[in-house]
Amino acid sequence: RRGEKQFLRARFSSVTGPDITRALANLVDPNLNEARSVDARQELDLKVGVAFTRFQTRYFQGKYGNLDASLVSYGPCQTPTLGFCVDRHVAITTFSPQPFWTIVPSISGTRFEWERGRVFEHEAGMLFEHIVASAKNAHVLSVTQKEGSKPRPLPLNTVDLMKVCSSQLKIGPHYAMQLAERLYIHGHISYPRTESTVYPEHFDLVGTLKIQRNSSLWGDYVDSLLQKGIQPPKKGHDAGDHPPITPMDLVQPNDVGADEWRVYEYICRHFIATVSPDSKFYKTKVMIDIGGETFKASGKRIISPGFTLIMPWLSQKDE
């Protein structure tokens, strides 16, 4: 109506030039239902958090001497996650190992795996060992060969980045997130807090990859990949929040701090791997019989290393 102000919304999920330009060129009316759902979520988070915080605080007061029970806060996301950690801790601490016996014959340097797997009674293990050791020959039952592949990784989300930082880079999750956010603020990577492992339909994969062709470390690989043609990233989970974590510009090792570089390098290599070919190999499986017991052995021969050229720590060897 006359005199009223009109408000339009720009819809984009990644802070990149093409996405923002596309959003500004296609402004839409605000969605009232979406706005109300955000209000409802905020109110629910507040009420649930307050109620459970009060319950936990009163419940734990005076029960544990080393617990500061003046306030035991409840987070709708963090507390259930803590529950998973506690369950896993209990499973580890209460695990009771059991002794077992297995038979591993070796023929010309090749170790074979027992089809039965293992037995948990010593007498049974000794009996099977005697049967196999008494046999004079091993008979080949079958030899099969087929082509296999090691798939390229899914696009990177926050959880997987934190896992890699902790297990491979030896960087704690809290510090790793600080590094990622610093890279994001300076425009080096996309928003680092995302659950999605699938790219939006109009995401410019080729344009993002071209940015990396001048890298002194992987530029040659990127050039070769662009000439041969990229592979479409594997479809993962679309959480509807933000695109997967992706490099947004070219950074050299001396442009950022040492730890920031390590995180940035991994994000770059992971992104390049997602549009690289799978690693392919031939797998050979041999089944043999010794004294009536079946054993198996398998080996592989690499045909094409694929994405492991850019992620060499995941490379496979001939076996």
Side-chain angles (χ1 to χ4, degrees), residues 87-222:
D87 289 342
R88 180 60 179 160
H89 174 73
V90 171
I92 293 173
T93 55
T94 59
F95 174 73
S96 178
Q98 290 181 280
F100 63 87
W101 289 263
T102 188
I103 302 174
V104 186
S106 178
I107 301 175
S108 300
T110 300
R111 293 164 63 89
F112 284 79
E113 180 184 348
W114 194 17
E115 190 75 354
R116 291 182 185 270
R118 63 189 67 176
V119 294
F120 293 92
E121 294 79 25
H122 179 256
E123 292 78 7
M126 297 300 294
L127 173 62
F128 282 117
E129 181 190 32
H130 175 73
I131 293 174
V132 173
S134 300
K136 297 181 180 180
N137 299 298
H139 302 279
V140 177
L141 300 176
S142 64
V143 178
T144 58
Q145 187 180 71
K146 62 180 181 180
E147 186 174 316
S149 65
K150 182 174 184 177
R152 55 192 179 276
L154 285 169
L156 185 64
N157 65 8
T158 305
V159 171
D160 289 334
L161 176 61
M162 294 300 101
K163 287 180 179 178
V164 169
C165 287
S166 178
S167 62
Q168 296 184 23
L169 304 183
K170 306 304 179 186
I171 300 175
H174 179 68
Y175 182 42
M177 183 52 68
Q178 289 181 330
L179 295 171
E181 288 178 341
R182 201 177 305 161
L183 290 168
Y184 166 69
I185 290 171
H186 287 89
H188 301 320
I189 65 172
S190 62
Y191 190 60
R193 294 182 181 271
T194 177
E195 297 179 19
S196 294
T197 54
V198 60
Y199 284 105
E201 182 180 355
H202 300 293
F203 193 90
D204 186 5
L205 294 167
V206 172
T208 304
L209 185 61
K210 285 181 177 179
I211 296 173
Q212 301 297 323
R213 69 191 320 170
N214 292 323
S215 168
S216 59
L217 295 177
W218 48 76
D220 291 342
Y221 178 88
V222 170

Side-chain angles (χ1 to χ4, degrees), residues 62-98:
K63 289 198 172 184
Y64 301 98
N66 61 344
L67 175 66
D68 178 11
S70 58
L71 179 66
V72 184
S73 180
Y74 175 91
C77 295
Q78 294 84 352
T79 302
T81 302
L82 177 60
F84 296 141
C85 297
V86 171
D87 289 342
R88 180 60 179 160
H89 174 73
V90 171
I92 293 173
T93 55
T94 59
F95 174 73
S96 178
Q98 290 181 280

Side-chain angles (χ1 to χ4, degrees), residues 243-299:
I245 305 171
T246 310
M248 291 287 100
D249 71 352
L250 179 62
V251 176
Q252 301 295 352
N254 295 329
D255 295 340
V256 294
D259 289 337
E260 287 179 42
W261 167 253
R262 293 168 65 206
V263 174
Y264 173 82
E265 180 185 10
Y266 178 79
I267 292 172
C268 285
R269 290 183 179 276
H270 190 107
F271 166 69
I272 298 169
T274 63
V275 293
S276 297
D278 294 342
S279 176
K280 296 182 179 180
F281 54 85
Y282 278 124
K283 185 174 183 179
T284 303
K285 183 178 180 181
V286 180
M287 303 287 292
I288 64 173
D289 176 281
I290 306 178
E293 292 299 307
T294 304
F295 299 86
K296 60 185 178 181
S298 61

Side-chain angles (χ1 to χ4, degrees), residues 297-310:
S298 61
K300 67 176 64 171
R301 179 169 59 85
I302 306 303
I303 305 172
S304 171
F307 75 93
T308 61
L309 287 174
I310 196 67

